[in-house]
Structure formats: C-alpha cells, structure tokens
Amino acid sequence: MFKHILVAYDGSENAKRALNVAIDLTKRYEAKLDIVEVVDTSVLLGAGIGPVPPDVIDSLYAKARADIEDGKKTAEQGGVKADGVIVEGDPATAILDYASKNGIDLIITGSRGLSTIKRMFLGSVSSRIIHEAKMPVLVVK
C-alpha cells in the first residue's frame, strides 16, 4: 500500500515518536523511508535581525545535519535503511513540495501540541500538511 514514506523530522520528542512509527510502517510495508528536516531561515528574517549572519545559517544547517544523522541511525537500529534530506523554506510548504516531487505515499509528522489560541494565530505545520497534502498524512502525538 505505501511504497515511499516521508517522516518530517526536527529532533524533537514528537519527531522521534513520529520516526518510530515511520520505522514500523516502513518495515511493515517494505517501503522506502525519507527523513526530511526543513531549515526555515525566514524565521530569522521575521525576527527583525536584518541580514542574517552566515554563521547563524551554518549553525541551523549543522543542527539539521546532526538531527538527520541521528534519525538515520535510529532507523538503522530499527532495521530500516533511510535517506536523510535537508530542505529549506517554510516547513509545511517544503514538506509538501518534497512529497509531491518524490512520489511520497504517506507523510508522517509529529504534533506540536499547540494550544487552541496559539494554533489560531500561528497555524501549525501539521495542520497545514493535513489540509493541503494530496496523500495520506499521519500525525503522531
């Protein structure tokens, strides 16, 4: 049923739970697993920092690389070989674009657990993915 699974990953506890579910489903369906982390530099620009120093962007990418390596190691320990990918942009948009361009059959993401008020004002990555994805989405709490 699912041949290619994407798990949105950022190293958080929610993302780790989502990764564990992704590993289980990847084994169950003998699927391919992509662990995708989004580097969102627009957050820095929106904070009014002005031109973002290159070392700040480098540190975001370094964290993403470390997260992806950790995720791949966890997958390997679970008996799954996973590909790790870092993309840049708005998290929901970047994940949806990657999914549509790479034949993803299922997106798995963690839930941030925002309060109703925060969700109304901020929206949520998982909510946007659920509403805009053309494929099934599994949100892990």
Side-chain angles (χ1 to χ4, degrees):
M1 178 173 197
F2 300 115
K3 292 181 180 2
H4 199 171
I5 297 171
L6 178 157
V7 61
Y9 195 74
D10 64 4
S12 68
E13 288 307 309
N14 284 332
K16 289 177 181 180
R17 283 193 289 278
L19 177 59
N20 288 330
V21 170
I23 291 166
D24 183 51
L25 290 174
T26 298
K27 285 196 297 196
R28 185 170 302 185
Y29 289 104
E30 298 177 3
K32 182 176 187 291
L33 178 61
D34 288 0
I35 301 170
V36 179
E37 180 153 350
V38 180
V39 173
D40 184 4
T41 56
S42 68
V43 170
L44 299 172
L45 298 172
I49 295 174
V52 181
D55 59 322
V56 173
I57 292 173
D58 290 346
S59 71
L60 291 175
Y61 275 94
K63 179 201 176 293
R65 282 190 297 275
D67 289 343
I68 291 293
E69 286 309 310
D70 179 58
K72 286 172 60 177
K73 188 183 302 177
T74 300
E76 203 171 286
Q77 290 168 346
V80 170
K81 183 186 178 310
D83 289 330
V85 180
I86 298 171
V87 293
E88 186 174 328
D90 166 71
T93 302
I95 289 166
L96 291 165
D97 286 349
Y98 183 89
S100 67
K101 290 175 183 167
N102 290 280
I104 299 297
D105 301 308
L106 173 67
I107 297 173
I108 301 175
T109 182
S111 166
R112 279 289 170 119
L114 294 175
S115 69
T116 305
I117 300 296
K118 283 184 181 173
R119 196 167 33 251
M120 280 175 25
F121 289 108
L122 300 176
S124 113
V125 173
S126 55
S127 292
R128 274 203 48 219
I129 292 171
I130 290 166
H131 293 336
E132 297 178 26
K134 304 285 190 258
M135 68 284 298
V137 178
L138 174 61
V139 179
V140 178
K141 287 190 168 194

